Amino acid sequence: MTTLLFGGDYNPEQWPREVWAEDMTLMRRAGVNTVTVGVFSWASLEPREGEYDAGWLDDVVGMLHDAGIGFFLATPTASPPPWFTRAHPDAMPVRPDGTRLTHGSRDTYAISAPAYRDAARRIARFLAERYGDHPGLRGWHVHNEYGTIDHGPHAEAAFQRWLQRRFGSVEALNDAWYTAFWSQRYDAWDQVTPPRTTQYLANPAHAVDFKRFCSDEMLAAFTEQKDEILAAGSTAPVTTNFMLPTWNHLDQWAWSDRLDLVSVDHYLDTPGPDGEAHVAYGADLTRSWAGGPWLLMEQSASGIRDGARLAHKDTDRMIRNSLGYVARGSQGSLFFQWRASAGGSEAWHSALVPHAGPDSEGFAGTVELGALLGRLEEVAEPPADGRVVDADVAVLWDADGWWSLETPHLPHDGLDYATEVRATHRALWRAGVAVDFVRSGADVARYRVLFVPSLMATDAATVTWLTQYVAGGGHLVVGRFTGVADEHQRVVAGGYPGLLRDLLGVRVTELRPLADDETRRLNDGATCDQWTERVHLTGARAVATYTDGELAGLPAVTRRDDGPGVAADGATRLVQESLDRFVAGLLAEHGVQAVVPAAVGTGLEAVRRRGAHGSYLFLLHHGDRPLRVTGPGHDLVTGAATDGGITVRAGGVAVVRETAGSDGPAPHWLLEPA
Ligand code: GAL
């Protein structure tokens, strides 16, 4: 039977062999069944160019296997050793200002440098030939968090080749990039460089195309390593770990198509309650990229970086967070890292075995989580159709959308893609409903509401896709400043949002962002900030108008519903509480129910995961008062039947195998104070 994976990055090369033996004992005590080895081990595996020393790794994987612990084997290519730097100084990354980085940290490589690519392929092949059929091998973890951006000569040559493929002619590039402005017209491919530090504002189309190129270039580097692994005959699944929440160097949809298993590293950005919403966001995104089960490759054990400090994360929270990922399709909960380093750059990062050793609250938490995941084993087996979560609403996620909003000199510097998308997801999370993310062009007919919180630059195919969704009876909700430009960041003239004017039935003649201390009120009681637009109705009707400011009486939120579906436009930014109400209203209109309606607003998060053996209701109690939960099922955490009610303590969890099947009507759950 498939199991839930538990463990984390294991870096035995930092420790003497006596510690390895203790590690095996402690891993067994904690129920660890999976570790990731070799992530940054290049210097230990290939101490000199072409000279390999893998005896230590043979011993490590042998000891793990003897202890019944599986492993992901990483290719160590995120951290080239000093000999590589010395031999290939041209393969070091260059910053936009021309600074060439040197060895001394990690990720010091230029992704397009032939010497780097050759060396990466060689070490991948060496590992694949040596360990490709090891019985303990659970999968390949290629590289680590692709995302090092190079602006040097190798990137320049590769970027020029990429542009030639994309545009075919320099004239087409000039047209797309609007180079007539400021005399940027190119006459030959070799005049085009990566975007580098320049005098004033850079060209936005140039910036976005370079992002697209970097994602493709890193994917090519990944694919070369994967090909080496396959050529060596290994059949273990291949993954690489994406990074959330801030890493936006990859088009994750395109990458996910090439991964056998989608995995992610997720580090929360706040120790406050919003971190719980953040877990849900990261997990929903990754499940959606994967199109089914996925794996949480890294999270932190007992610390959360919070500005200047490392805030403490207690065991209850670590357990709730872990189950928040598993509830949304993760096949386990892995961490960075197993044993806290005694030195080096991340000595103060938390770990499953803290500096204090096994006699500590931290390790007790590790043991507790391991035991709990062991009791949930049956959850791991996905249903035949692979759909682990059933959602009626979806949110568009688009890497280009993020890249466009990073270009300079937009009408408001506060436009931030992740902030916009997270605000919509947060509202849905607070409403207690399941959410999928989708890519442009996906089959969205089954979703009752489709949100496009932000997509400044939109291509024609996306416009057609959205139009078809509405024509098919869907309810589309579009956020401000969406559809205003084409895929080359060129503004569509004639009124905003140029490409979506017809669909939305509005024509905007002025963007009127607000000052930081300004807000506006709407006639439905909502408050908005940062952004207003002068909207003319050309087919839509107003559902909310401004009651104050220069635009008083004019539409702020509109809806076109004269066809089979609805196309709604928010021409402002609702503050979170107002957005929450707006979203809750839409859900009610479409009869989209919370997973457990009685739980909404109580602090109890309820998520339903579908499995081969039925459906599982995950109850994660973030609130501070115990709750009594009653419904048909059996709590896998305590073994108790839930029909007569169970108490979920403040901070605690329950995972109920529901008596009704995963495809039948959702069982009814009652909630009351305990
Ligand atoms: C991850 C990385 C790990 C470790 C961790 C610390 O992004 O993959 O190697 O550095 O961050 O938070």
Side-chain angles (χ1 to χ4, degrees):
M1 182 195 255
T2 322
T3 52
L4 290 176
L5 307 186
F6 175 51
D9 277 28
Y10 179 41
N11 299 301
E13 67 269 38
Q14 295 177 26
W15 303 96
R17 283 179 180 252
E18 311 83 82
V19 177
W20 302 359
E22 190 196 30
D23 285 333
M24 299 307 128
T25 308
L26 295 181
M27 284 181 193
R28 287 176 65 93
R29 192 184 303 163
V32 164
N33 55 26
T34 306
V35 296
T36 305
V37 286
V39 179
F40 299 111
S41 307
W42 201 340
S44 310
L45 289 167
E46 190 182 0
R48 279 162 296 280
E49 185 152 17
E51 274 181 42
Y52 298 100
D53 173 12
W56 66 272
L57 187 55
D58 295 348
D59 294 347
V60 168
V61 297
M63 288 171 78
L64 287 166
H65 189 56
D66 290 347
I69 298 163
F71 63 94
F72 280 92
L73 182 54
T75 63
T77 51
S79 209
W83 61 254
F84 179 81
T85 317
R86 285 287 182 189
H88 307 286
D90 66 298
M92 293 299 102
V94 176
R95 290 228 164 104
D97 69 357
T99 309
R100 190 180 282 284
L101 303 183
T102 55
H103 190 85
S105 180
R106 65 178 183 192
D107 293 293
T108 43
Y109 57 85
I111 193 75
S112 310
Y116 170 72
R117 294 278 275 270
D118 288 349
R121 272 201 310 267
R122 279 198 310 270
I123 188 82
R125 182 63 174 249
F126 169 78
L127 292 171
E129 281 174 355
R130 194 167 181 115
Y131 302 104
D133 57 1
H134 195 286
L137 181 67
R138 288 205 191 277
W140 291 98
H141 172 300
V142 169
H143 200 84
N144 191 68
E145 296 177 346
Y146 276 99
T148 301
I149 304 301
D150 170 44
H151 297 77
H154 291 301
E156 179 171 313
F159 186 39
Q160 288 168 359
R161 288 194 295 273
W162 184 90
L163 289 169
Q164 287 179 45
R165 284 196 301 276
R166 176 165 173 75
F167 292 111
S169 71
V170 182
E171 292 71 45
L173 176 144
N174 279 314
D175 181 47
W177 287 13
Y178 209 77
T179 56
F181 193 65
W182 284 351
S183 196
Q184 290 179 353
R185 191 182 164 278
Y186 295 100
D187 197 36
W189 293 111
D190 64 7
Q191 294 170 354
V192 189
T193 67
R196 296 192 177 126
T197 308
T198 187
Q199 207 292 119
Y200 184 44
L201 303 172
N203 181 313
H206 184 184
V208 172
D209 268 335
F210 186 66
K211 292 272 193 184
R212 292 170 174 148
F213 154 74
C214 288
S215 177
D216 287 355
E217 183 73 357
M218 291 186 277
L219 182 53
F222 162 83
T223 305
E224 282 170 13
Q225 289 200 37
K226 183 175 178 184
D227 287 347
E228 294 293 340
I229 290 167
L230 297 179
S234 180
T235 53
V238 180
T239 187
T240 184
N241 46 347
F242 294 157
M243 166 70 171
L244 287 168
T246 51
W247 226 224
N248 76 335
H249 307 299
L250 310 181
D251 173 356
Q252 295 93 345
W253 294 115
W255 278 69
S256 297
D257 292 343
R258 303 268 192 97
L259 302 178
D260 302 327
L261 165 70
V262 173
S263 66
V264 79
D265 302 344
H266 194 201
Y267 290 92
L268 303 190
D269 52 7
T270 169
D274 198 46
E276 316 294 357
H278 197 189
V279 168
Y281 168 78
D284 284 335
L285 254 180
T286 317
R287 182 194 66 255
S288 303
W289 292 331
W294 56 281
L295 182 62
L296 179 72
M297 190 62 89
E298 288 181 26
Q299 64 170 324
S300 73
S302 59
I304 299 177
R305 268 280 158 206
D306 180 32
R309 73 176 174 139
L310 181 63
H312 186 71
K313 187 203 250 186
D314 62 24
T315 294
D316 274 356
R317 182 156 192 179
M318 177 189 65
I319 289 177
R320 290 201 312 279
N321 289 174
S322 295
L323 295 195
Y325 297 111
V326 172
R328 294 178 172 82
S330 177
Q331 292 300 83
S333 179
L334 304 182
F335 292 78
F336 177 84
Q337 59 179 330
W338 163 247
R339 185 183 277 275
S341 300
S345 308
E346 291 191 328
W348 301 107
H349 198 280
S350 67
L352 292 172
V353 182
H355 287 145
D359 182 15
S360 62
E361 296 80 359
F363 188 68
T366 300
V367 173
E368 191 178 335
L369 176 59
L372 177 56
L373 291 172
R375 293 199 286 277
L376 305 185
E377 196 177 65
E378 65 174 77
V379 167
E381 193 138 348
D385 64 9
R387 204 168 71 236
V388 276
V389 170
D390 250 336
D392 292 326
V393 297
V395 178
L396 177 74
W397 171 269
D398 190 282
D400 274 11
W402 194 334
W403 296 335
S404 297
L405 286 197
E406 287 186 333
T407 59
H409 223 54
L410 298 177
H412 196 294
D413 287 347
L415 287 162
D416 178 73
Y417 186 73
T419 305
E420 306 281 319
V421 177
R422 275 176 73 177
T424 297
H425 184 271
R426 186 182 291 114
L428 292 163
W429 180 78
R430 289 180 179 176
V433 301
V435 186
D436 281 343
F437 286 93
V438 291
R439 77 213 281 183
S440 173
D443 179 3
V444 281
R446 59 186 289 264
Y447 298 110
R448 290 189 240 174
V449 188
L450 171 61
F451 294 88
V452 181
S454 174
L455 193 64
M456 173 191 147
T458 310
D459 60 14
T462 299
V463 175
T464 306
W465 172 65
L466 294 174
T467 306
Q468 282 169 354
Y469 173 68
V470 175
H475 190 139
L476 171 70
V477 182
V478 172
R480 64 187 172 140
F481 205 53
T482 288
V484 297
D486 70 8
E487 71 267 36
H488 303 299
Q489 327 303 312
R490 294 178 302 198
V491 176
V492 179
Y496 315 113
L499 289 163
L500 296 177
R501 253 182 348 236
D502 286 347
L503 178 60
L504 297 172
V506 296
R507 178 166 175 267
V508 174
T509 49
E510 293 169 358
L511 304 177
R512 302 175 70 129
L514 300 176
D516 286 352
D517 57 354
E518 282 185 303
T519 56
R520 295 286 183 266
R521 302 281 297 180
L522 305 186
N523 65 344
D524 62 358
T527 303
C528 48
D529 66 1
Q530 204 185 69
W531 193 269
T532 63
E533 299 177 358
R534 182 185 290 277
V535 176
H536 300 265
L537 300 174
T538 56
R541 60 190 174 84
V543 292
T545 55
Y546 297 102
T547 59
D548 55 4
E550 308 85 342
L551 300 178
L554 295 180
V557 182
T558 63
R559 162 186 285 225
R560 176 168 207 165
D561 51 7
D562 53 352
V566 179
D569 185 39
T572 182
R573 180 171 87 163
L574 297 178
V575 300
Q576 186 74 51
E577 282 62 36
S578 297
L579 180 62
D580 293 352
R581 257 193 297 127
F582 174 75
V583 165
L586 283 176
L587 298 174
E589 179 182 340
H590 289 282
V592 178
Q593 291 257 324
V595 173
V596 173
V600 177
T602 64
L604 187 80
E605 178 179 1
V607 189
R608 182 170 284 119
R609 173 170 170 154
R610 300 172 72 239
H613 309 285
S615 72
Y616 301 91
L617 185 67
F618 283 68
L619 299 168
L620 316 175
H621 193 7
H622 312 304
D624 52 15
R625 303 221 172 127
L627 289 168
R628 188 105 193 125
V629 184
T630 309
H634 182 91
D635 178 14
L636 301 178
V637 175
T638 58
T642 52
D643 306 70
I646 54 165
T647 297
V648 185
R649 68 174 173 84
V653 297
V655 180
V656 182
R657 188 206 299 126
E658 295 176 300
T659 301
S662 63
D663 282 324
H668 186 63
W669 288 88
L670 289 172
L671 225 73
E672 56 199 335

